[in-house]
């Protein structure tokens, strides 16, 4: 076989691996967006695309220095100066409440909330409020943040919420007896149940938002070459696959496409409570369709974050 046919096959394979792409020329000039965890990787690519479409973006990040560098780069590339560096530590309920309070004081609307931030398969550690870090950051933090901003999202409808989940939500069960991993800890199971929590939260919230004009959907970005899996560096899989990631994994830009589609596609304006991958609705795991489990998780999340116990939402 000549080199040209082989090259052609490899090009087609790479295009297939990159998955669905959102190509509609949608403008969102002046629309207000919050995206968490966006100074690098998927989040940064998402901000870059939205900025080029005219969005007014709050980059909600834990590391203000890195966020400032990313913000300046995005402004330089897009010419959009309505990009703002905002401090948010999803491992702190106080930080989340402070961020929400300041945002509500500063802005009059919120059109798109993208809960993008996450940690993956990390050594066991706790948030400032004593939550296992993966369930704390990936789910509890976003649960509280989203609920604190719901009134503004409703007032700005039609508006959209996008929760970054993962195909990993299918891999393990929700450990109701040890959600905080106090008795035992598996970094992979903890990650998986946090991603299952993202989908369950999406389902529960969609029901609660019926008739408001606010939609909420979960997305799986694909297997993407980012720093998210840095704690897998000593695993067998990481060692074997690392040299091939530049070919067999999605780029961050391709990984952002499903988020962009769900956030922007006019045809999805009224679609809610769904799970997307490669810019298409996909079937989620059976556990993610368990209404009783979803309601248990909502009540547990409410208790952990003290959402209902607050006299004021912020």
């Amino acid at each position: 076989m000549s080199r040209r046919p082989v090259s052609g096959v490899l090009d087609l394979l790479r295009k297939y691996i990159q998955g669905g792409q959102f190509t509609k020329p949608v403008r969102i000039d002046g629309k207000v967006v919050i995206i968490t965890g966006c100074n690098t990787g998927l989040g940064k690519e998402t901000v870059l695309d939205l900025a080029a479409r005219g969005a007014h973006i709050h980059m909600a990040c834990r590391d203000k220095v890195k966020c400032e560098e990313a913000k300046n780069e995005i402004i330089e590339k897009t010419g959009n100066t309505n990009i703002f560096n905002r401090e948010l530590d999803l491992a702190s309920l106080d930080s989340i409440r402070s961020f929400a309070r300041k945002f509500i004081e500063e802005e009059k609307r919120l059109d798109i909330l993208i809960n993008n931030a996450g940690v993956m398969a990390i050594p066991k550690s706790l948030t400032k409020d004593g939550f296992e870090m993966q369930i704390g950051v990936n789910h509890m933090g976003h649960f509280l943040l989203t609920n604190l901003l719901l009134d503004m999202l409703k007032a700005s409808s039609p508006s959209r919420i996008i929760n970054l989940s993962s195909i990993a939500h299918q891999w393990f069960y929700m450990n109701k007896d040890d959600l905080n991993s106090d008795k035992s800890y598996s970094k992979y199971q903890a990650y998986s149940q946090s991603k299952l929590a993202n989908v369950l939260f999406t389902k529960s919230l969609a029901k609660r938002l019926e008739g408001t004009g606010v939609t909420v959907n979960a997305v799986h970005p694909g297997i993407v070459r980012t720093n998210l899996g840095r704690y897998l560096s000593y695993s067998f899989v990481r060692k074997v696959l690392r040299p091939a990631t530049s070919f067999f994994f999605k780029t961050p830009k391709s990984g952002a496409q499903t988020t962009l589609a769900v956030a922007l596609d006019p045809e999805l304006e009224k679609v809610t409570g769904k799970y997307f991958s490669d810019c298409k609705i996909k079937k989620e795991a059976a556990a993610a369709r368990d209404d009783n489990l979803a309601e248990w998780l909502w009540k547990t999340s409410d208790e952990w974050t003290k959402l209902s116990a607050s006299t004021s939402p912020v």
Side-chain angles (χ1 to χ4, degrees):
M1 184 179 290
S2 66
R3 291 183 178 180
R4 184 170 297 177
V6 171
S7 176
V9 170
L10 291 176
D11 288 343
L12 288 173
L13 178 59
R14 178 158 179 75
K15 184 176 181 181
Y16 173 79
I17 290 169
Q18 296 310 301
Q21 304 287 311
F22 181 69
T23 58
K24 294 182 180 180
V26 177
R27 297 289 305 179
I28 51 171
D29 298 276
K31 288 197 173 183
V32 180
V33 179
I34 292 174
I35 177 166
T36 65
C38 54
N39 59 269
T40 188
L42 292 174
K44 183 179 177 182
E45 288 293 341
T46 305
V47 174
L48 185 62
D49 187 285
L50 295 175
R53 297 174 189 269
H56 178 108
I57 305 171
H58 288 249
M59 298 176 67
C61 301
R62 182 178 57 83
D63 191 324
K64 289 200 71 175
V65 174
K66 291 182 179 179
C67 187
E68 186 68 15
E69 293 173 355
K71 183 201 79 171
N72 291 336
E73 180 185 338
I74 290 165
I75 290 174
E76 183 178 354
K77 287 183 176 179
T78 65
N80 183 346
T81 58
N82 292 314
I83 315 297
F84 306 96
N85 176 359
R86 299 291 184 258
E87 186 172 7
L88 172 64
D89 182 359
L90 287 160
S92 166
L93 298 183
D94 286 343
S95 177
I96 295 165
R97 290 183 179 279
S98 177
F99 171 87
R101 183 184 302 113
K102 291 175 182 177
F103 179 84
I104 291 169
E105 290 172 352
E106 183 176 350
E107 297 289 354
K108 295 181 179 180
R109 63 182 301 112
L110 175 57
D111 299 279
I112 303 171
L113 170 62
I114 302 175
N115 291 321
N116 170 82
V119 290
M120 175 183 177
I122 61 175
K124 187 176 182 181
S125 57
L126 302 178
T127 69
K128 294 177 181 178
D129 302 280
F131 309 151
E132 183 277 314
M133 190 65 71
Q134 296 189 82
I135 195 69
V137 170
N138 297 353
H139 169 64
M140 294 296 171
H142 285 127
F143 173 88
L144 178 61
L145 176 67
T146 303
N147 275 286
L148 295 179
L149 297 171
L150 278 185
D151 285 346
M152 185 170 278
L153 284 158
K154 291 175 183 177
S156 308
S157 66
S159 52
R160 307 187 191 192
I161 303 166
I162 297 91
N163 294 323
L164 268 286
S165 183
S166 168
I167 194 173
H169 85 275
Q170 304 176 5
W171 296 347
F172 290 96
Y173 61 93
M174 181 74 66
N175 191 346
K176 294 172 66 176
D177 295 325
D178 193 24
L179 183 64
N180 205 45
S181 302
D182 293 320
K183 299 175 184 177
S184 64
Y185 180 68
S186 161
K187 62 183 181 181
Y188 302 110
Q189 182 165 344
Y191 176 70
S192 179
Q193 75 171 0
S194 75
K195 296 291 100 179
L196 174 56
N198 295 150
V199 185
L200 288 166
F201 172 47
T202 298
K203 298 285 186 180
S204 293
L205 187 57
K207 291 180 180 179
R208 286 169 166 81
L209 290 174
E210 286 181 3
T212 65
V214 183
T215 62
V216 52
N217 292 287
V219 305
H220 166 51
I223 309 301
V224 186
R225 191 178 71 255
T226 71
N227 289 329
L228 183 63
R230 59 189 176 277
Y231 291 103
L232 300 175
S233 58
Y234 295 106
S235 72
F236 172 78
V237 173
R238 179 84 168 189
K239 288 181 179 179
V240 171
L241 293 183
R242 188 171 185 176
T245 57
S246 61
F247 185 87
F248 289 104
F249 286 13
K250 284 186 178 182
T251 64
K253 182 176 181 179
S254 289
Q257 296 304 303
T258 302
T259 297
L260 293 168
V262 177
L264 300 171
D265 195 333
E267 294 183 14
L268 299 178
E269 184 175 300
K270 296 182 179 180
V271 175
T272 191
K274 303 298 182 182
Y275 171 74
F276 285 79
S277 179
D278 279 331
C279 302
K280 297 178 182 179
I281 295 174
K282 297 292 177 69
K283 190 173 183 178
E284 59 283 283
R289 301 191 297 275
D290 186 331
D291 291 340
N292 291 329
L293 181 60
E295 192 59 27
W296 172 85
L297 179 65
W298 186 283
K299 290 179 179 178
T300 301
S301 304
D302 187 298
E303 292 171 2
W304 284 24
T305 62
K306 298 180 175 59
L307 178 66
S308 295
S310 303
T311 55
S312 168
V314 293

